[in-house]
Amino acid sequence: EAMKDGYNVMICQSNESYEREADCIDALMSARVDGLLVSISRETEDLAHLKKVVDEGTPMVFFDRLVQGMNAPSVIVDDYQGAYDAVEHLIKQKSKHIVHLAGPDNLIISRKRTEGYISALEDHELPINQENIIECRNGTVEEAEAALSKLLENGHAIDGVFANNDMAALGALKAVQKAQLKCPEDIAIIGFSNWQFSSLVNPGLSSVAQPGYEMGREAARLMLEEINSKEKATNHVSIFDTDLVIRESSS
């Protein structure tokens, strides 16, 4: 729609790098784009480059990852409830010692998913063990595999894993298989985002699905609204529900 209406549309990929994100923002502003749709990187803590955009009056909409303290609309999913539902599903599959492979603490979505994990345990009267919450800052297969392998090698009691994203869930699966354990019989696993590969691995990975198309459409609608509005931007947040997609890794 934006391209059809003659707006200047460009796409940049930060690859989860704060430095690259800041460079992309500078390049886009130099190209005099009409607005910015932004999903901040895992490394982003300093928001100066984003606040500069807002201060200069360029419309900006955040999607997927919420940013506090910015006068700009956002489109996100209910990360807390999605995490709660995932952990509750593991509990209903008889898991009692559930490890959470968490995202970086600087991201609000990571904190919300950890809160959902803790609340599900509390509501089902299971103990909260801080050793079971492991930050996988980069969210890679290798990072998650190493973290879970270390716990298993130390004899840590584990019968379930809730991963902050599907790459970390895949790393957990590799660690379980490396330890010659079975998934889900010994350790049930569920991830978050329902990336395409989740249905292609063996066993198929359970995951929390996000309505990506609908979120993108809403973000674009808000952006066009901001571009055409004469009023000052607001920090309105559109929140979409998630869905559990249950596959063999947890069923």
Side-chain angles (χ1 to χ4, degrees):
E1 289 294 329
M3 289 185 282
K4 186 172 69 175
D5 290 342
Y7 292 109
N8 186 6
V9 177
M10 300 175 66
I11 298 175
C12 292
Q13 172 62 266
S14 70
N15 288 326
E16 301 291 3
S17 164
Y18 163 76
E19 184 175 347
R20 186 164 180 174
E21 174 183 287
D23 289 342
C24 286
I25 295 293
D26 286 342
L28 291 169
M29 293 298 288
S30 296
R32 304 182 67 83
V33 293
D34 296 291
L36 294 173
L37 294 173
V38 179
S39 179
I40 64 170
S41 80
R42 285 175 170 269
E43 297 179 354
T44 301
E45 296 184 38
D46 184 354
L47 303 177
H49 60 301
L50 299 173
K51 288 181 178 178
K52 181 180 178 182
V53 173
V54 174
D55 291 344
E56 291 180 358
T58 301
M60 181 162 56
V61 175
F62 292 103
F63 66 95
D64 190 37
R65 296 172 178 175
L66 185 64
V67 179
Q68 290 182 326
M70 298 288 293
N71 201 29
S74 299
V75 180
I76 59 172
V77 297
D78 192 338
D79 290 286
Y80 171 89
Q81 190 62 50
Y84 186 102
D85 293 343
V87 176
E88 184 173 60
H89 163 68
L90 292 178
I91 294 170
K92 289 180 178 179
Q93 300 300 307
K94 309 304 180 184
S95 295
K96 295 183 178 179
H97 307 285
I98 302 171
V99 167
H100 176 36
L101 300 177
D105 192 57
N106 60 297
L107 291 182
I108 296 172
I109 62 170
S110 299
R111 300 200 296 270
K112 289 296 182 182
R113 292 174 191 179
T114 299
E115 289 171 10
Y117 160 84
I118 291 173
S119 291
L121 294 181
E122 288 177 337
D123 288 350
H124 288 272
E125 299 182 344
L126 292 174
I128 310 300
N129 183 351
Q130 290 299 321
E131 292 182 358
N132 283 344
I133 302 175
I134 305 170
E135 184 180 79
C136 291
R137 187 166 187 83
N138 299 315
T140 63
V141 173
E142 296 77 14
E143 182 183 35
E145 180 182 1
L148 194 64
S149 290
K150 184 177 180 180
L151 286 182
L152 291 171
E153 289 167 2
N154 291 336
H156 201 80
I158 305 170
D159 57 14
V161 175
F162 166 52
N164 181 71
N165 65 30
D166 288 342
M167 296 300 285
L170 180 56
L173 177 60
K174 290 171 70 70
V176 169
Q177 293 172 337
K178 180 181 176 182
Q180 297 185 330
L181 297 171
K182 293 182 179 180
C183 175
E185 292 88 346
D186 298 317
I187 299 178
I189 299 173
I190 188 167
F192 205 112
S193 292
N194 194 36
W195 290 355
Q196 190 174 27
F197 75 82
S198 300
S199 63
L200 304 177
V201 298
N202 186 25
L205 281 173
S206 296
S207 189
V208 179
Q210 304 178 101
Y213 178 86
E214 290 79 4
M215 291 173 67
R217 187 177 182 87
E218 174 67 3
R221 186 191 70 78
L222 288 172
M223 173 55 64
L224 294 175
E225 193 175 90
E226 289 294 315
I227 290 173
N228 295 316
S229 176
K230 295 180 180 180
E231 298 180 5
K232 192 175 181 181
T234 65
N235 55 359
H236 168 78
V237 179
S238 296
I239 303 176
F240 285 78
D241 292 331
T242 58
D243 287 307
L244 280 182
V245 178
I246 306 305
R247 299 190 178 95
E248 295 84 2
S249 71
S250 70
S251 177

